[in-house]
Amino acid sequence: MYTIKLFLFIAPLVISSRTDQDYTSLDSISPEPKSRFAMLDDVKILANGLLQLGHGLKDFVHKTKGQINDIFQKLNIFDQSFYDLSLQTNEIKEEEKELRRATSKLQVKNEEVKNMSLELDSKLESLLEEKILLQQKVRYLEDQLTDLIKNQPQIQEYLEVTSLKTLVEQQDNSIKDLLQIVEEQYRQLNQQQSQIKEIENQLRRTGIKESTEISLSSKPRAPRTTPSFHSNETKNVEHDDIPADCTIIYNQGKHTSGIYSIRPSNSQVFNVYCDVKSGSSWTLIQHRIDGSQNFNETWENYKYGFGRLDGEFWLGLEKIYSIVKQSNYILRIELEDWKDKYYTEYSFHLGDHETNYTLHLAEISGNGPKAFPEHKDLMFSTWDHKAKGHFNCPESNSGGWWYHDVCGENNLNGKYNKPKAKAKPERKEGICWKSQDGRLYSIKATKMLIHPSDSENSE
């Protein structure tokens, strides 16, 4: 750059000197030899400047050439990287196609599994009914056999009774074998559901959204869970020894909290969780501790129950009604936030399915906030079953509940907010619940329990 500037400075001087000499030559007929030597010096200076300019341009060209080579090397590296990325993209697309195909197959298989599960449920119920009838027949035949032995029956009649008893026992054994087969099929169904959940988790990690979930409803809602009480399958039931509720179990000397089989009057046998407190045992009908179970369920699932009795669950409106219709019961609600524990007990009456399980209650005691309005008829509703004339709450207030006239955060079956890594306030965790007095609580765990009112209460 310095050489170019020098050249640009010298060139006008030389040109102007030549011009002045031309004008002088016009005025003078014979130029002097001194001016010729001056012109020769100017030419030498100009030539020297041009030479320096050439060297500068040469250096500039070499430097530019080196920079261009560097650029070409970087472009080659970029092309190679782009090519590698394109190969990885093609591999990811192939894996995505495989996952989609696998998902489609699993969805079809899941539907088949659900249908098989429904069929197995119906078969299991029919088998249980047949087994009950056969057991009744066996007891009847045993009674007859006892009477015949006492009355010294004839040998032929005794042989006939014995053969009948053997036949009934064989049928009973065949029913037991069928029950074992059904249980094995249930186990296989559970394994298939676990595989489906694993594939769904893989799809979520790759950012794929399943179109079938969108087509299930015209509006978005939380995913549905299959109402399968894994701990509610009763094995080898003997009717004579099955109590009606947890209080009777406690009175029989079983003073440990856990899962027990009960049979309320005019009802089928099912399992419940008995929560033993000081001096008595309560039947647990709802339990939430960590948000592992989705409570945004359908009317059918709230009617018959969902979840696991050893974790989070809803016992089922029909089962609750079969228990409380036997006598007068107390409803106890236990709430636990991040600091304290509260409880409230109510005397209550629960209607059947024709009344949408209408709840009418009055508070007895407790130190907790009011969970229900008192002395009002509260009808149970879900997102897919609205009681006639009932308040139509949006699905954001998810979960079935005994709503009254307000939609909001007053639902103990509502959404459980799990803690996030950057969440500041703790009230964003758990169940954001607003009591009847308008105060907002952050509930960590809930329990709903029932107990006969004619038994001793425990606080």
Side-chain angles (χ1 to χ4, degrees):
M1 290 300 292
Y2 175 76
T3 305
I4 294 172
K5 291 180 180 179
L6 179 63
F7 173 73
L8 294 176
F9 175 73
I10 294 173
L13 295 177
V14 174
I15 294 171
S16 63
S17 175
R18 292 287 299 276
T19 305
D20 291 340
Q21 290 175 3
D22 291 340
Y23 283 125
T24 307
S25 65
L26 292 175
D27 295 336
S28 176
I29 297 174
S30 58
E32 299 178 358
K34 183 178 181 180
S35 62
R36 292 180 181 177
F37 290 123
M39 290 176 60
L40 184 58
D41 293 336
D42 294 337
V43 170
K44 288 181 178 181
I45 293 171
L46 180 61
N48 189 24
L50 290 174
L51 182 61
Q52 293 179 357
L53 177 63
H55 286 297
L57 290 173
K58 184 178 179 182
D59 295 337
F60 178 74
V61 168
H62 282 296
K63 186 182 294 183
T64 305
K65 185 177 179 181
Q67 293 176 350
I68 291 173
N69 290 332
D70 293 338
I71 291 172
F72 273 115
Q73 290 178 358
K74 293 178 179 179
L75 287 174
N76 290 332
I77 293 172
F78 175 77
D79 290 341
Q80 184 63 33
S81 300
F82 184 78
Y83 178 73
D84 294 338
L85 287 174
S86 64
L87 292 178
Q88 293 178 1
T89 303
N90 291 332
E91 292 177 359
I92 291 173
K93 287 182 179 179
E94 291 297 327
E95 292 177 358
E96 181 181 341
K97 290 180 181 178
E98 291 294 332
L99 285 174
R100 286 183 181 274
R101 286 194 289 268
T103 303
S104 301
K105 293 179 181 179
L106 286 174
Q107 286 170 350
V108 174
K109 199 169 184 179
N110 190 24
E111 292 297 326
E112 295 176 355
V113 168
K114 288 181 180 178
N115 295 332
M116 290 175 61
S117 178
L118 295 175
E119 293 177 0
L120 288 173
D121 285 336
S122 61
K123 289 181 180 179
L124 182 61
E125 291 178 359
S126 61
L127 287 173
L128 289 173
E129 292 177 356
E130 291 178 2
K131 182 178 179 180
I132 292 169
L133 293 175
L134 287 173
Q135 288 176 340
Q136 292 175 352
K137 290 180 180 179
V138 168
R139 286 193 296 272
Y140 175 73
L141 291 174
E142 287 177 347
D143 294 337
Q144 283 188 340
L145 180 62
T146 302
D147 294 338
L148 288 172
I149 292 174
K150 290 180 179 179
N151 297 328
Q152 296 180 351
Q154 297 179 359
I155 297 175
Q156 183 177 0
E157 292 178 353
Y158 177 77
L159 293 175
E160 290 178 354
V161 172
T162 305
S163 62
L164 285 175
K165 183 177 180 181
T166 303
L167 177 63
V168 171
E169 289 177 351
Q170 291 176 353
Q171 291 178 345
D172 189 42
N173 292 330
S174 64
I175 290 174
K176 290 180 180 178
D177 293 337
L178 288 174
L179 285 173
Q180 292 178 354
I181 294 172
V182 170
E183 290 169 1
E184 178 65 21
Q185 290 176 342
Y186 263 107
R187 186 183 63 80
Q188 294 177 359
L189 290 175
N190 291 333
Q191 291 178 352
Q192 292 175 349
Q193 288 177 351
S194 299
Q195 293 176 357
I196 291 170
K197 289 181 179 178
E198 183 178 357
I199 293 296
E200 289 176 347
N201 292 330
Q202 292 180 359
L203 291 175
R204 292 191 188 98
R205 286 195 294 268
T206 54
I208 301 172
K209 295 182 179 179
E210 299 179 6
S211 59
T212 53
E213 291 184 358
I214 299 174
S215 62
L216 288 176
S217 174
S218 59
K219 61 179 181 179
R221 65 173 181 261
R224 302 281 169 260
T225 57
T226 304
S228 57
F229 258 125
H230 299 290
S231 54
N232 270 15
E233 291 108 24
T234 306
K235 303 176 183 178
N236 300 331
V237 178
E238 295 183 8
H239 263 303
D240 290 347
D241 299 331
I242 299 177
D245 65 2
C246 290
T247 304
I248 299 176
I249 293 175
Y250 184 86
N251 293 336
Q252 291 176 350
K254 299 175 182 178
H255 298 167
T256 303
S257 297
I259 299 173
Y260 298 91
S261 297
I262 66 170
R263 185 177 67 85
S265 59
N266 300 322
S267 176
Q268 297 291 331
V269 178
F270 56 88
N271 286 356
V272 296
Y273 190 94
C274 296
D275 192 355
V276 176
K277 300 181 181 297
S278 56
S280 185
S281 179
W282 295 68
T283 304
L284 192 60
I285 65 174
Q286 186 253 36
H287 192 201
R288 304 190 71 180
I289 49 177
D290 56 9
S292 59
Q293 172 66 42
N294 177 26
F295 270 67
N296 189 20
E297 285 290 351
T298 61
W299 172 262
E300 285 297 313
N301 291 354
Y302 268 101
K303 184 176 180 180
Y304 296 109
F306 56 86
R308 300 186 65 90
L309 291 176
D310 55 357
E312 292 195 335
F313 71 94
W314 173 261
L315 182 61
L317 293 165
E318 196 61 32
K319 295 185 180 73
I320 298 170
Y321 173 72
S322 68
I323 297 173
V324 301
K325 71 179 181 180
Q326 303 176 113
S327 177
N328 294 324
Y329 273 74
I330 295 172
L331 172 64
R332 179 185 176 97
I333 296 179
E334 296 181 357
L335 305 177
E336 179 181 355
D337 60 15
W338 307 98
K339 295 181 180 179
D340 300 312
K341 294 183 179 180
Y342 311 92
Y343 83 94
T344 308
E345 293 183 355
Y346 299 89
S347 62
F348 76 103
H349 175 268
L350 182 68
D352 58 11
H353 69 280
E354 295 181 354
T355 66
N356 292 310
Y357 301 98
T358 298
L359 180 67
H360 189 95
L361 42 73
E363 183 177 348
I364 299 175
S365 63
N367 62 352
K370 292 184 178 180
F372 295 101
E374 297 183 62
H375 308 294
K376 294 182 181 294
D377 291 330
L378 309 176
M379 289 184 287
F380 199 91
S381 293
T382 60
W383 63 268
D384 65 336
H385 181 89
K386 309 294 183 183
K388 185 177 180 181
H390 189 268
F391 217 75
N392 190 11
C393 295
E395 193 172 350
S396 59
N397 302 103
S398 61
W401 193 245
W402 288 280
Y403 295 102
H404 177 49
D405 57 357
V406 177
C407 285
E409 298 165 326
N410 59 352
N411 176 6
L412 294 181
N413 288 338
K415 181 180 179 181
Y416 195 103
N417 299 306
K418 296 184 178 180
K420 298 181 180 179
K422 297 182 179 180
K424 292 183 179 179
E426 285 186 340
R427 66 189 300 151
K428 293 297 183 183
E429 303 175 18
I431 306 170
C432 291
W433 179 72
K434 186 180 292 184
S435 65
Q436 294 296 315
D437 58 7
R439 182 180 175 184
L440 186 63
Y441 292 82
S442 177
I443 304 300
K444 179 182 178 182
T446 67
K447 282 185 179 181
M448 296 179 66
L449 312 98
I450 55 176
H451 185 279
S453 59
D454 54 359
S455 298
E456 183 181 356
N457 299 343
S458 66
E459 296 184 5

